[in-house]
Amino acid sequence: MIDFEEELKKFHPSLEIEDAEEAIYNHDLTDMIDILIKMTDKPKVEEEE
Amino acid sequence: MICYNCGCRLSEHNFCTGCGVDVSLYKRIMFTSNRFYNDGLEKASVRDLSGAIVSLRQSLKLNKNHIDARNLLGLVYFEMGEVVSALSEWVISKNLRPKKNIADDYIDMVQNNQSRLDTINQTIKKYNQALQYCYQDSEDLAVIQLKKVLSYNPKYVCAHQLLALLYIQTEEWEKAYRELQKCCQIDANNTITLRYMKEVEHMLSPEEGTKNAPKKRGSSEKIVRYQSGNETIIQPLNVKEHRGVSSLLNLGLGVIIGVAIACFLILPGRIQSAKADINKDLRAVSEQSDAKTATIDELEQKVQKLTDEKALLSEELASYQGTDGTLQATDGLMMAVSAYMKAPDDIKAIADYLEALDEEGEEAEEHKTDAFTSLYDSLVATVGPKLEEYYYNIGYSSFRSEDYDTAIPNLERAYRYNNTNGDALFYLGESYFYTEDYDTAKKIFAQVIDDYPGTRKASSSETHLAEINNAG
């Protein structure tokens, strides 16, 4: 049986067009390749130190 | 594929030939990202939009620069009615690759049409409002708002799902089922939709859940279920129709329904149509009548005007042709001249015609022409002395016989034809004196005294004047 209150919690307000700019700025664009680069860069820095 | 360290094109080896960095992991990440993109593309092509979103997000988590994956993710969002999310993805895509990017076209498509953009914004706001109503337990208002949202954007999956949830809450299973079917047409494999669908199907046919599988198959063999537009048609099979009496009953029922439809639906329409036609005709006739009335009024005014003009012209003509007109005066003068021409010694006849001319009065004087006056003066100059003598004789004999009414006009005419005839003037004054017209008598006696001083006429006139003054 579906619980209306619980199901309702799964629906969130949609982003309005005015909020689009903020959403784009707050978009987390970090990907796996960024992490890989960081990981590969870290040993190099430690070696230089 | 390009080396993330130096930008050199990578070969089949697991290291960069340019800088020597190990790219095995990098290559694996890129391949996995591409695999997720392909998976997302396949899912999107079979309308598993939710699945496509998951795959494309995974692809972008591995490689944020996968432009195709990002653009496709935007398209999938747009198809599901999530316009702002779609725009966000396309804007990021455009920033990552400013040139030769189809996201540019997508953004233009949405932003260049201002009315469409407004509609999208209104849709989102109404959806959020509907959600707010739901939180405030105003389900009926939320349903109305969501229906508006879906009329603007029929592909808004979240709105369909929320509406279906509200219908489920109010146990309107058929409506919920229809909404969920619409969701399935847009997004075929949405988990929420499928869960709601299962619940609704269970409620619509509860026996299917309780019965065994063979029985279920048996029951499903008795019906045919198919989709017609938004409706699911469930048609029973192998149902024998009762013929005979039931056919007649159905026929009778059909006739009654037909008659009822004719009476309640068709007939009022016809009556309304006939009334409208009659009103239209009546209006046309009324307009014609008004136009004719206006024409009649106009013609009556014209008739009145013409009648007035006719009366005016008749009066004018009468003034020319009547006893007071020039024509009559001319005739009188011509007759007098004619009488003189025929018998110059017949003064009486000439005098009669001229008297008639004199009686025509002052109005005739106004119409007399120069030729008339000239002829008249010539005639008077010719026969004037004879006329003076004629009138003086009559006037004097009448005075002597004390017939002053006859004497006065004849003496006046005698003096008019010869204003040196003092006797005529004196006897005229005496005639007025004896008829007791003292005012006129006084004027004439004064004129006699002035014109003929020292004569017997003057002294007699003075005597009469004294008498009049003494009497006054």
Side-chain angles (χ1 to χ4, degrees):
Chain A
M1 187 64 188
I2 289 171
D3 183 354
F4 179 72
E5 299 296 333
E6 285 301 314
E7 291 298 325
L8 200 57
K9 286 176 186 170
K10 294 175 187 172
F11 289 90
H12 302 289
S14 213
L15 277 177
E16 294 182 14
I17 287 175
E18 293 84 3
D19 305 328
E21 191 179 348
E22 196 182 341
I24 292 164
Y25 280 125
N26 294 335
H27 202 286
D28 183 17
L29 280 174
T30 309
D31 61 353
M32 197 64 85
I33 293 167
D34 291 330
I35 295 167
L36 175 68
I37 291 167
K38 272 186 186 174
M39 283 169 68
T40 51
D41 282 351
K42 202 174 180 182
K44 284 181 186 174
V45 174
E46 284 174 357
E47 279 172 16
E48 284 169 10
E49 284 174 353
Chain B
M1 197 180 296
I2 292 166
C3 174
Y4 65 89
N5 192 37
C6 65
C8 181
R9 184 174 285 280
L10 296 176
S11 64
E12 71 276 8
H13 301 294
N14 283 337
F15 57 89
C16 175
T17 52
C19 63
V21 74
D22 183 7
V23 292
S24 58
L25 196 58
Y26 173 72
K27 274 187 172 180
R28 193 169 291 175
I29 291 169
M30 294 296 276
F31 288 147
T32 313
S33 173
N34 285 343
R35 187 170 293 170
F36 273 118
Y37 167 69
N38 291 337
D39 188 47
L41 187 60
E42 273 186 26
K43 283 178 177 172
S45 62
V46 294
R47 281 209 162 266
D48 178 10
L49 302 184
S50 305
I53 286 172
V54 172
S55 297
L56 293 168
R57 274 184 176 166
Q58 284 295 334
S59 172
L60 291 170
K61 270 183 187 172
L62 293 169
N63 178 15
K64 67 181 175 189
N65 291 316
H66 202 310
I67 299 300
D68 289 337
R70 199 171 285 283
N71 289 343
L72 182 59
L73 181 60
L75 268 183
V76 172
Y77 277 138
F78 191 78
E79 181 64 13
M80 289 178 72
E82 301 281 354
V83 181
V84 176
S85 299
L87 276 172
S88 302
E89 294 301 333
W90 289 333
V91 168
I92 293 166
S93 167
K94 198 190 166 192
N95 276 280
L96 292 172
R97 189 196 286 169
K99 289 180 181 175
K100 291 185 179 176
N101 192 342
I102 199 166
D104 214 8
D105 296 344
Y106 296 149
I107 293 166
D108 286 347
M109 177 191 72
V110 177
Q111 287 188 336
N112 284 353
N113 191 340
Q114 187 60 40
S115 64
R116 189 175 181 177
L117 202 63
D118 290 342
T119 309
I120 288 166
N121 209 15
Q122 286 295 319
T123 309
I124 294 165
K125 281 179 177 169
K126 283 183 191 300
Y127 172 75
N128 291 342
Q129 182 67 47
L131 202 57
Q132 202 64 33
Y133 285 141
C134 289
Y135 293 143
Q136 295 164 357
D137 295 330
S138 303
E139 281 87 7
D140 46 353
L141 290 175
V143 168
I144 292 166
Q145 203 74 341
L146 286 170
K147 280 181 179 174
K148 280 184 192 171
V149 168
L150 291 170
S151 71
Y152 292 143
N153 185 2
K155 288 186 176 177
Y156 203 167
V157 175
C158 283
H160 279 298
Q161 286 174 338
L162 186 57
L163 188 57
L165 182 62
L166 288 166
Y167 284 141
I168 289 168
Q169 172 69 5
T170 53
E171 298 185 351
E172 293 175 87
W173 307 109
E174 288 290 342
K175 288 181 177 176
Y177 187 74
R178 279 201 291 272
E179 289 303 322
L180 291 170
Q181 276 188 326
K182 287 173 189 170
C183 283
C184 284
Q185 284 168 5
I186 301 160
D187 182 8
N189 208 16
N190 190 298
T191 314
I192 295 173
T193 306
L194 293 175
R195 198 152 47 82
Y196 290 173
M197 184 73 97
K198 191 180 175 186
E199 179 74 18
V200 170
E201 279 179 345
H202 175 71
M203 297 309 291
L204 281 171
S205 52
E207 74 280 359
E208 283 184 8
T210 55
K211 285 176 185 173
N212 296 330
K215 283 183 182 175
K216 205 185 281 179
R217 203 181 298 125
S219 65
S220 66
E221 282 173 0
K222 289 181 182 176
I223 60 166
V224 173
R225 180 181 290 187
Y226 60 94
Q227 195 76 22
S228 172
N230 292 331
E231 303 291 329
T232 301
I233 310 296
I234 301 169
Q235 183 181 340
L237 283 177
N238 301 325
V239 179
K240 287 182 182 176
E241 289 183 9
H242 299 288
R243 298 188 180 280
V245 179
S246 63
S247 301
L248 285 172
L249 200 66
N250 288 337
L251 194 66
L253 202 63
V255 170
I256 291 166
I257 290 169
V259 171
I261 287 170
C263 288
F264 293 108
L265 295 177
I266 300 169
L267 210 58
R270 289 278 175 86
I271 290 166
Q272 195 66 28
S273 171
K275 276 183 180 174
D277 288 344
I278 290 165
N279 285 337
K280 196 177 171 184
D281 291 344
L282 196 63
R283 219 175 294 126
V285 169
S286 177
E287 283 172 6
Q288 284 178 359
S289 170
D290 290 345
K292 282 182 179 172
T293 307
T295 312
I296 288 165
D297 288 345
E298 194 180 341
L299 290 172
E300 278 180 352
Q301 284 177 357
K302 276 185 182 175
V303 167
Q304 186 62 37
K305 191 178 172 186
L306 290 171
T307 308
D308 292 345
E309 279 182 11
K310 180 178 169 289
L312 203 67
L313 290 170
S314 298
E315 282 177 14
E316 198 174 341
L317 188 64
S319 72
Y320 283 119
Q321 291 182 338
T323 53
D324 297 334
T326 310
L327 293 174
Q328 191 69 25
T330 310
D331 287 347
L333 181 61
M334 296 301 283
M335 293 297 285
V337 173
S338 174
Y340 174 73
M341 297 284 282
K342 283 178 185 171
D345 295 329
D346 187 3
I347 297 301
K348 186 179 182 304
I350 297 166
D352 289 343
Y353 287 127
L354 289 176
E355 277 174 30
L357 206 59
D358 291 341
E359 286 169 3
E360 286 170 7
E362 291 180 0
E363 285 184 16
E365 287 289 330
E366 294 173 5
H367 301 290
K368 284 174 182 174
T369 60
D370 292 340
F372 176 91
T373 311
S374 174
L375 181 63
Y376 179 82
D377 291 344
S378 300
L379 182 66
V380 168
T382 308
V383 297
K386 289 180 180 175
L387 285 170
E388 177 218 345
E389 186 183 350
Y390 171 73
Y391 284 120
Y392 179 77
N393 292 336
I394 295 169
Y396 182 69
S397 60
S398 299
F399 175 77
R400 297 300 301 172
S401 58
E402 297 180 355
D403 181 8
Y404 303 115
D405 292 335
T406 307
I408 287 171
N410 285 297
L411 289 170
E412 275 179 344
R413 287 191 189 104
Y415 183 71
R416 194 171 69 212
Y417 286 119
N418 181 11
N419 55 9
T420 59
N421 190 344
D423 292 338
L425 187 64
F426 174 71
Y427 291 125
L428 180 63
E430 289 227 305
S431 297
Y432 279 120
F433 179 78
Y434 291 123
T435 53
E436 298 180 349
D437 184 358
Y438 297 126
D439 290 338
T440 314
K442 275 169 75 176
K443 287 176 189 171
I444 292 171
F445 287 138
Q447 191 180 350
V448 171
I449 292 163
D450 289 343
D451 292 346
Y452 307 101
T455 59
R456 193 181 58 83
K457 294 189 284 285
S459 60
S460 296
S461 295
E462 284 172 358
T463 309
H464 285 310
L465 270 176
E467 286 174 10
I468 291 166
N469 290 332
N470 291 334

